[in-house]
Amino acid sequence: MLLAGKKVVVVGGSSGIGLAAAEMARREGADVIIASRNVERLDKVAEKLNAIAIPADVTSDDSVANLFHRCGPVDHVVVTAAQLCTGSFKAVAMEDVRATMEGKFWGAWRVAREAEIRPGGSLTLVSGFLSVRPRPNSAIVSAANGALESLARALALELAPVRVNAVSPGVIDTPIRAAMPEEARRDMLAKTAAALPVGRVGAAEDIARQISAFMANGFATGSIVYIDGGALVI
Ligand SMILES: NC(=O)c1ccc[n+]([C@@H]2O[C@H](COP(=O)([O-])OP(=O)(O)OC[C@H]3O[C@@H](n4cnc5c(N)ncnc54)[C@H](OP(=O)(O)O)[C@@H]3O)[C@@H](O)[C@H]2O)c1
């Protein structure tokens, strides 16, 4: 088992990619702590995984400080927490775009500052392929993802010997689109799948596999890996 005896924290571990990363780390023998805001959902998932649940909100300095105070020294940290507000550039409200950066970018920043990661351990950020393949109505997400990828490279230097990497997913079928009308969601996923060389959209496990690889591979730092089903070559 690749992570036997290691302590892994997944911030955003109650759903989607974070949940798959937490499950995989458990299967690889790690002790896992998951953190997110909705306590009921967090506790339910933690019980199922036999993991520890610590409620936290990455938009709050105090909450993130409290999380890592409770965790103590750890081996690997993964940040998947994000809640995105998008819209057309001219129309989207400033409070919405600020909220997107507050969670996705500053959230990861706070985690990187507060986590006490043992030498040789790792921090994995999750960005998104819109950083390099923008789409209309998502400028703030492209900007947040691009900033996260730059941050991962900068922190690979500044936090060494802790290793810092980012995985940049393409379209992954997770609860992140739960608010979309079901038919529109299915239609969008089917069209995306048909356009991709792999003929399908991603599953959370596809990204979790890369997160696991970053944890286990002691030579990986400053890497940005795009796992997108070929979205960048079409
Ligand atoms: N799914 C995709 O197609 C896709 C593509 C590219 C990039 N990504 C990126 O991958 C990451 C994970 O996405 P996902 O699809 O796994 O989303 P998801 O299923 O919605 O999971 C998001 C997780 O983050 C937690 N979270 C959200 N805001 C938080 C906050 N302020 N503080 C603490 N926890 C918070 C959520 O729990 P609570 O709500 O209970 O806090 C949940 O556990 C995101 O950064 C997303 O932008 C996803």
Side-chain angles (χ1 to χ4, degrees), residues 16-210:
I17 294 168
L19 169 54
E23 269 173 343
M24 215 166 270
R26 285 291 297 139
R27 278 204 297 278
E28 291 296 343
D31 293 325
V32 173
I33 297 167
I34 57 172
S36 62
R37 295 166 302 178
N38 181 320
V39 177
E40 200 182 323
R41 178 164 69 158
L42 184 68
D43 284 343
K44 221 182 260 172
V45 170
E47 197 182 327
K48 205 170 133 218
L49 292 182
N50 196 12
I52 292 170
I54 304 181
D57 181 347
V58 297
T59 65
S60 155
D61 295 356
D62 288 348
S63 179
V64 175
N66 173 61
L67 166 65
F68 286 102
H69 180 72
R70 288 180 64 184
C71 289
V74 300
D75 296 289
H76 302 286
V77 175
V78 181
V79 193
T80 66
Q83 199 171 34
L84 312 173
C85 298
T86 56
S88 91
F89 181 74
K90 293 279 188 179
V92 68
M94 281 309 296
E95 64 179 319
D96 285 345
V97 289
R98 283 204 185 96
T100 296
M101 283 305 266
E102 197 60 58
K104 178 127 188 174
F105 178 72
W106 293 113
W109 181 287
R110 287 182 185 96
V111 169
R113 272 177 72 115
E114 295 296 340
E116 190 187 332
I117 303 175
R118 295 186 181 110
S122 73
L123 169 66
T124 301
L125 307 182
V126 178
S127 55
F129 80 130
L130 295 183
S131 60
V132 290
R133 180 55 81 92
R135 270 201 313 244
N137 303 325
S138 303
I140 189 59
V141 181
S142 292
N145 289 338
L148 272 180
E149 291 174 11
S150 295
L151 181 66
R153 278 194 290 265
L155 293 184
L157 283 182
E158 200 155 339
L159 298 184
V162 170
R163 300 176 295 103
V164 185
N165 299 287
V167 58
S168 193
V171 174
I172 312 297
D173 188 10
T174 71
I176 205 169
R177 294 182 189 82
M180 272 178 89
E182 182 56 15
E183 206 181 315
R185 191 185 72 85
R186 263 199 261 130
D187 193 46
M188 187 282 270
L189 292 176
K191 281 193 181 126
T192 303
L196 289 173
V198 294
R200 65 173 178 90
V201 295
E205 292 69 27
D206 295 321
I207 306 305
R209 222 161 265 136
Q210 183 56 43

